[in-house]
Amino acid sequence: MTRPASPTTLTRAYAYALDPTPEQVSSLRSHVGGSRFVYNALLGLVKANWDENRQRKDAGEEVAKEDYLGTRHLDLQKLWYEKRDELAPWWPENGSSTYNYACLNLSKAFTNSRAGRSKFPTFKKRGSVSSVSFMSTAVRLVDSHHLRISRVGEIKTYESTRKMYRHIERGTGRILAATTSERGAKWTVSFTVEVQRALPPTRAPERVIGVDVGLSTLYTGATPTGEHVLDVANPHHYVAAEKTLTSAQRIASRRQGPRRGVAASNRWKRAQQRVQRIHSGVANARRNLIHETTMKLAKNYDLIVVEDLNVMGMLKNHALAKHIQDASWGEFVRQLEYKTKWYGSTLVKANRFYPSSKTCSQCETVKAKLSLDERVFCCEACGLTLDRDVNAAINLARMGLAGTNSVTGRGGEVSPEQQKLAATAHPDEASTEPSSDVDGVGDTSV
Ligand SMILES: [Zn+2]
């Protein structure tokens, strides 16, 4: 449970406005075009190959497995090397990392389509935004106001890249990739950087909270002394949006979608965009709520106790599955796991057989049965009447605290693990505040 201050790795995005010279602009545009060309050319080759094989099969011919062009990153790269002189004799004008990245992107598009996450890859068109990605080998920061992209040169940034540059300089940051985009007349670069962060020492468990995760009330938090301190209602993002979504999907399905040789209608595109917007609206609202709550908990409490939910097992219960997915229980615990590390607090996961809901928080009598629709806990032994979730949260908080009694002086059983925690956590560390830039990290960590 305890851990000394140690670095943890996370992925962050850094974006900056660029001030390229006219020559650099034309070079960047050439990379954009080159990358799109490779993507489309390879997609065309694979499609033609598959169509041909299908025709041969229809004609009763035997088609060997080797006759199919592969779609793995390496397959596509090999195909590009074989065809580039013939298809694009101008290819040496651009850096090879761009072509490589296009192969990787196309390979991912094939993987996503096979896994049912997206449609079959389509040709990339010139859009309102043109962007191109570079592999880590082709980009580096020169100083806090310049980056160098091979073949393009040293480009000035409008803002200081100090925060990111410091990480690179100290060796605590590593560029994974960079994407430059042109929107209107504006250029930006977005870096994906793997960052190592030193963690604060674990705080002494003075502020303790038990959190019950449920469906009607999403998060119910209580202290060991029975104070009800957290109450986050379930906004039912998905369930509420579902009606709107169904109608949007029905509208889209009535319109002219893309078919062989027929372009999709503008009305179809608009309807599709609407479906996408509803999807991302739901996802964003849910993400924000989880981020906000986990951040608050990790910052304001030293010891957070949650149930170790067997979410996967529960997802098999179809009646509840949609609601549980909507509430994102697993994501909540996952975020608490890393945020408690950032802020020096501790997460305790109660054994999932611990009867936090069935135990009376006043007299500790355990009920034999408690059905899901009993929203109020009524104890037959001592007469306690309390909201079911609040009762469970109090029990969780006490269970977590039970092991740290040597710190709080309450007496009772102490597990060896928690004894270690008590011994290493100094009270004067309780006020340790993490560095201020931790706040922004939440959204980009993976
Ligand atoms: Zn009782």
Side-chain angles (χ1 to χ4, degrees):
M1 200 52 53
T2 28
R3 102 217 98 57
S6 65
T8 184
T9 310
L10 47 123
T11 310
R12 280 200 70 165
Y14 292 91
Y16 301 105
L18 291 177
D19 183 15
T21 64
E23 293 78 38
Q24 288 170 343
V25 166
S26 69
S27 174
L28 284 171
R29 283 189 186 144
S30 162
H31 279 82
V32 172
S35 142
R36 187 169 49 220
F37 180 88
V38 174
Y39 189 99
N40 288 343
L42 296 184
L43 175 58
L45 287 172
V46 171
K47 267 184 141 172
N49 167 263
W50 290 3
D51 283 346
E52 194 194 313
N53 288 342
R54 198 178 303 122
Q55 277 165 17
R56 282 173 55 196
K57 253 189 177 166
D58 289 348
E61 245 184 277
E62 189 108 345
V63 185
K65 226 181 159 192
E66 305 84 68
D67 289 349
Y68 284 92
L69 286 177
T71 57
R72 286 174 309 171
H73 182 194
L74 279 176
D75 295 330
L76 295 171
Q77 240 182 331
K78 208 173 137 246
L79 185 62
W80 168 242
Y81 287 147
E82 282 166 18
K83 300 281 185 181
R84 61 186 180 185
D85 288 328
E86 174 196 332
L87 294 174
W90 42 262
W91 67 263
E93 283 169 27
N94 300 321
S96 58
S97 110
T98 311
Y99 301 132
N100 190 353
Y101 209 99
C103 293
L104 179 67
N105 259 344
L106 180 59
S107 168
K108 276 186 191 160
F110 275 115
T111 309
N112 285 338
S113 127
R114 252 194 306 272
R117 287 188 292 266
S118 63
K119 299 232 170 77
F120 193 82
T122 51
F123 293 106
K124 280 193 192 297
K125 293 185 203 100
R126 237 174 259 265
S128 54
V129 186
S130 44
S131 56
V132 60
S133 297
F134 300 88
M135 297 286 218
S136 60
T137 45
V139 215
R140 65 187 179 84
L141 283 187
V142 179
D143 55 38
S144 59
H145 276 93
H146 294 89
L147 66 126
R148 171 170 279 285
I149 301 178
S150 58
R151 296 302 169 94
V152 182
E154 209 170 291
I155 309 177
K156 198 171 169 291
T157 58
Y158 275 114
E159 313 127 90
S160 160
T161 62
R162 191 180 48 88
K163 259 193 175 176
M164 174 182 160
Y165 184 61
R166 264 203 327 233
H167 274 301
I168 307 282
E169 239 190 348
R170 271 191 256 143
T172 54
R174 192 165 65 91
I175 297 175
L176 300 177
T179 302
T180 60
S181 311
E182 182 182 21
R183 230 180 234 98
K186 287 191 187 110
W187 283 88
T188 51
V189 62
S190 169
F191 290 98
T192 314
V193 184
E194 191 184 79
V195 172
Q196 280 181 6
R197 176 180 295 284
L199 299 170
T202 307
R203 293 193 297 248
E206 286 175 353
R207 296 165 297 175
V208 181
I209 187 169
V211 182
D212 180 79
V213 185
L215 287 177
S216 53
T217 305
L218 201 45
Y219 311 121
T220 306
T223 65
T225 51
E227 258 179 286
H228 181 189
V229 286
L230 177 79
D231 197 334
V232 179
N234 190 348
H236 290 294
H237 297 298
Y238 185 76
V239 178
E242 201 178 36
K243 261 192 168 160
T244 344
L245 189 64
T246 316
S247 103
Q249 276 165 337
R250 200 174 303 125
I251 291 169
S253 72
R254 278 200 299 264
R255 296 188 176 169
Q256 175 81 60
R259 272 179 291 156
R260 202 171 273 249
V262 185
S265 73
N266 283 330
R267 280 159 57 79
W268 180 85
K269 283 182 200 157
R270 274 201 305 275
Q272 282 300 327
Q273 275 166 5
R274 190 156 166 253
V275 171
Q276 277 312 313
R277 259 201 311 275
I278 298 170
H279 269 305
S280 60
V282 169
N284 286 342
R286 184 177 2 195
R287 206 175 304 133
N288 289 346
L289 186 64
I290 297 175
H291 270 301
E292 216 175 277
T293 313
T294 51
M295 178 92 79
K296 226 189 276 172
L297 286 169
K299 251 181 168 171
N300 299 336
Y301 291 92
D302 308 316
L303 189 71
I304 300 148
V305 194
V306 295
E307 255 175 306
D308 189 6
L309 301 156
N310 179 12
V311 176
M312 291 329 282
M314 279 196 268
L315 282 177
K316 285 184 191 133
N317 175 344
H318 290 294
L320 280 179
K322 188 165 65 185
H323 298 273
I324 292 173
Q325 217 152 28
D326 195 19
S328 307
W329 289 356
E331 179 61 15
F332 176 73
V333 175
R334 192 190 71 83
Q335 290 195 14
L336 271 181
E337 262 162 10
Y338 70 76
K339 283 183 189 171
T340 47
K341 283 182 194 161
W342 290 356
Y343 290 102
S345 43
T346 304
L347 178 70
V348 173
K349 285 192 269 181
N351 181 311
R352 72 186 166 90
F353 298 110
Y354 172 70
S356 62
S357 299
K358 289 184 196 156
T359 307
C360 170
S361 61
Q362 189 162 280
C363 70
E364 290 178 19
T365 305
V366 181
K367 277 187 188 240
K369 247 167 99 186
L370 183 72
S371 76
L372 260 179
D373 49 305
E374 277 178 60
R375 301 311 309 162
V376 177
F377 184 94
C378 299
C379 178
E380 282 109 39
C382 73
L384 173 80
T385 310
L386 191 60
D387 178 88
R388 171 204 181 98
D389 299 339
V390 176
N391 181 61
I394 296 171
N395 285 329
L396 286 168
R398 287 198 185 142
M399 197 227 75
L401 186 68
T404 58
N405 289 334
S406 53
V407 176
T408 56
R410 272 163 199 262
E413 260 182 65
V414 183
S415 75
E417 203 178 50
Q418 278 156 328
Q419 221 160 21
K420 240 175 21 198
L421 170 75
T424 45
H426 297 288
D428 57 353
E429 282 171 358
S431 61
T432 306
E433 284 293 328
S435 60
S436 60
D437 60 344
V438 169
D439 286 30
V441 177
D443 296 315
T444 52
S445 93
V446 284

